[in-house]
Structure formats: structure tokens, C-alpha cells
């Protein structure tokens, strides 16, 4: 029963920040229906049109909201304008994480698919001795949150964008999800009793998922052991990101304490 509706909320970013966890956790809420796959409508499939996009959505009752997630939207220049043109009331969720650990996680994922890529260090710098970071490499560029956010603020007020801390999502999933539920105007249904901590993965898991009464952890690809990186490289990248992070904290009015 129900109708296919365009999403009222979209998890727009960021890649390797914890977007899958947010989607899996929020869809436990009885008033949320979420699209399980990433439709990539506002970046790759825009030419297919809004009716195609709508056709992908789950059916909802009047009391429910539709949510989708595609983390690459946050870094896609056209995405804010396109989403605004669909509905200026769309609520946006951005899951952010320390840009250095995010980049390492991103690299780790790529390495698992393409074992012969250059080293993390080689891709991160145009000239390491001069400390010149290569911002053309996607894994580095995504972490420049303050720059990408400027693009969104041309179309949406900050009040319509909610930032989830990827770090706190792991240490206090119920606390972070309480804020997400408040932002979406939902009753706080998802609480501590929904989570348990899986020590082997180092991740919180759901005690029972939306589709069955069984516990549900994120897939095998989540919680991968990161590649070991030279601490000096990490230090240089921290220095590089610091001014961007500070600007981001100031813009959103929240200190994520990435040091």
C-alpha cells in the first residue's frame, strides 16, 4: 500500500563517513521508508528525469517520509541546485568524519578493489618535501568540507542541513540518531535499546533490523582495517586540513574535534 513519493530527506554525504550506518539506523523508524541502493540521480542519472527517480522510491503512507542516500552528491557541483529545483524544502543530512581518517578509509576501499594503485603517500602529495598536497585526488578533495558546503549554502539555509559526526555515530549511535530524528521531525523511537557494540568490527550494530527480528551489522566491507600510514604523512595532512576544518566548524557552529 501507499504511494511512491520523492524523498523529503536525502543523505548527501560524505563517502566513507558513515552514511550507510545512518541509513540503516534511521530506517528502523516506523515513519521512515528508505531506498536501499544509491540512485545517483542528482549526479549521474539526472537526464532520466524526476519520474524515473520517483519510480525507484519505496511506497509510503501519508504519515511516512522517504529517504535516500548518495554520498557523492555533497561534492557534485550541480547537486544543490538540482535538489533545490525538485523541492526547496528538502532536508539534507551530511555525515562527516575526520578528513584524514576518511581519506585513509577511502584509499583502503580502493586498494581492496585495485591492489596495484600507487601508495597513499604518493597520491596525497604533489611534492611531499615541500608539503604540497594534491587536492585533485578525490580522496583528499572530499575532505575539504568547508569548500563543498559553500556550494550548498547558495541554495539551502543551514537550518535545513544536519551534520552527523561519523566518530560519535560509532561511540554513541543512539545520541547521534536522536538528533537525526529531531531534525526530521520524528518522534525519538530509535534509542540505546536498539544498539549493541560489536567488538570484532569495532562498530555498533542493530539488535534487530527493519526486515527481520535478527541482529544486523553493516556488511563485510564496513570496519575494514586501515592501511598503515607513516605518522609524518598523517601529521602533514592534519596541518593541511586544519584551516579548512576550523572554517567548517565556524560555518556550522559545531566543533568536531578532529585532531
Amino acid at each position: 500500500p501507499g504511494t511512491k513519493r520523492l524523498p523529503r530527506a536525502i543523505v548527501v554525504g560524505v563517502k566513507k563517513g558513515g552514511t550507510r550506518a545512518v541509513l540503516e539506523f534511521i530506517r528502523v523508524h516506523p515513519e521512515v521508508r528508505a531506498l536501499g541502493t544509491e540512485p545517483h540521480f542528482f549526479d549521474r542519472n539526472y537526464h532520466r528525469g524526476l519520474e524515473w527517480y520517483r519510480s525507484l522510491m519505496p511506497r509510503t503512507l501519508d504519515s511516512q517520509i522517504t529517504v535516500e542516500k548518495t554520498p557523492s552528491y555533497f561534492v557534485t557541483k550541480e547537486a544543490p541546485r538540482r535538489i533545490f529545483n525538485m523541492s526547496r524544502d528538502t532536508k539534507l543530512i551530511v555525515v562527516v568524519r575526520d578528513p584524514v581518517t576518511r581519506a585513509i578509509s577511502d584509499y583502503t576501499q580502493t586498494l581492496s578493489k585495485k591492489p596495484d594503485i600507487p601508495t597513499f603517500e604518493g597520491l596525497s602529495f604533489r611534492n611531499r618535501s615541500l608539503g604540497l598536497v594534491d587536492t585533485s585526488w578525490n580522496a583528499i578533495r572530499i575532505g575539504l568540507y568547508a569548500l563543498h558546503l559553500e556550494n550548498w549554502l547558495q541554495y539551502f539555509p543551514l537550518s535545513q542541513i544536519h551534520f552527523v559526526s561519523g566518530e560519535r555515530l560509532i561511540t554513541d549511535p543512539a545520541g547521534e540518531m536522536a538528533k537525526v530524528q529531531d531534525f526530521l521531525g520524528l518522534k525519538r523511537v530509535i534509542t540505546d535499546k536498539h544498539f549493541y557494540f560489536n567488538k570484532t568490527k569495532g562498530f555498533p550494530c542493530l539488535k534487530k533490523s527493519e526486515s527481520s527480528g535478527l541482529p544486523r551489522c553493516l556488511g563485510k566491507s564496513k570496519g575494514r582495517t586501515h592501511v598503515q600510514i607513516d605518522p609524518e604523512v598523517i601529521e602533514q595532512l592534519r596541518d593541511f586540513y586544519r584551516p579548512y576544518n576550523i572554517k567548517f566548524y565556524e560555518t556550522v557552529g559545531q566543533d568536531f574535534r578532529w585532531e
Side-chain angles (χ1 to χ4, degrees):
T3 314
K4 292 189 173 211
R5 294 179 173 91
L6 292 167
R8 293 235 309 266
I10 304 176
V11 181
V12 295
V14 302
K15 184 184 178 193
K16 306 311 291 176
T19 58
R20 170 57 61 188
V22 167
L23 192 80
E24 292 302 328
F25 296 166
I26 198 62
R27 69 196 304 186
V28 170
H29 201 293
E31 284 170 25
V32 172
R33 294 299 313 279
L35 178 64
T37 51
E38 295 175 7
H40 284 279
F41 176 63
F42 296 103
D43 55 357
R44 298 181 205 156
N45 291 309
Y46 197 62
H47 61 281
R48 294 175 185 253
L50 273 175
E51 282 315 305
W52 174 83
Y53 184 49
R54 188 200 305 268
S55 74
L56 304 176
M57 297 302 152
R59 293 182 180 277
T60 50
L61 305 170
D62 289 346
S63 61
Q64 294 174 315
I65 62 169
T66 305
V67 179
E68 76 112 318
K69 85 141 181 128
T70 305
S72 50
Y73 291 162
F74 190 64
V75 298
T76 301
K77 207 159 174 29
E78 303 76 27
R81 176 176 51 81
R82 289 170 171 177
I83 294 173
F84 179 84
N85 287 341
M86 172 185 75
S87 167
R88 60 179 59 198
D89 299 323
T90 309
K91 291 188 171 185
L92 307 166
I93 295 171
V94 188
V95 191
V96 286
R97 176 185 187 184
D98 179 323
V100 180
T101 43
R102 198 220 65 80
I104 296 168
S105 177
D106 202 333
Y107 176 78
T108 304
Q109 181 180 36
T110 308
L111 190 67
S112 71
K113 297 172 187 167
K114 303 178 188 163
D116 51 351
I117 55 166
T119 63
F120 177 81
E121 184 186 314
L123 291 164
S124 296
F125 295 93
R126 281 182 302 160
N127 183 325
R128 198 186 146 196
S129 55
L130 294 175
L132 291 177
V133 173
D134 191 350
T135 53
S136 71
W137 183 34
N138 218 21
I140 293 291
R141 197 175 65 86
I142 290 172
L144 303 172
Y145 305 140
L147 291 188
H148 302 302
L149 182 57
E150 282 173 12
N151 200 14
W152 290 87
L153 293 177
Q154 288 175 26
Y155 293 90
F156 294 95
L158 262 180
S159 58
Q160 251 169 273
I161 311 174
H162 178 70
F163 299 91
V164 175
S165 159
E167 285 82 13
R168 285 199 301 269
L169 192 62
I170 293 171
T171 57
D172 178 19
E176 280 302 291
M177 292 313 293
K179 293 180 209 162
V180 172
Q181 291 169 92
D182 292 350
F183 171 69
L184 295 176
L186 300 168
K187 199 170 150 230
R188 287 190 181 182
V189 170
I190 304 160
T191 60
D192 273 331
K193 65 174 192 289
H194 284 87
F195 300 99
Y196 72 95
F197 196 77
N198 179 320
K199 289 193 179 66
T200 41
K201 275 185 115 39
F203 260 98
C205 299
L206 288 167
K207 285 187 181 154
K208 45 181 189 286
S209 70
E210 172 214 29
S211 51
S212 73
L214 300 169
R216 167 111 176 44
C217 281
L218 299 176
K220 283 196 279 293
S221 66
K222 307 297 177 187
R224 274 196 199 96
T225 307
H226 286 180
V227 181
Q228 283 298 302
I229 308 292
D230 176 349
E232 278 183 27
V233 169
I234 290 177
E235 210 40 57
Q236 277 180 293
L237 289 177
R238 291 212 178 286
D239 292 343
F240 164 74
Y241 278 120
R242 195 167 290 115
Y244 295 99
N245 290 345
I246 291 167
K247 182 160 191 250
F248 180 65
Y249 300 165
E250 287 170 352
T251 308
V252 306
Q254 196 176 335
D255 183 345
F256 290 89
R257 301 177 183 272
W258 294 320
E259 266 312 316

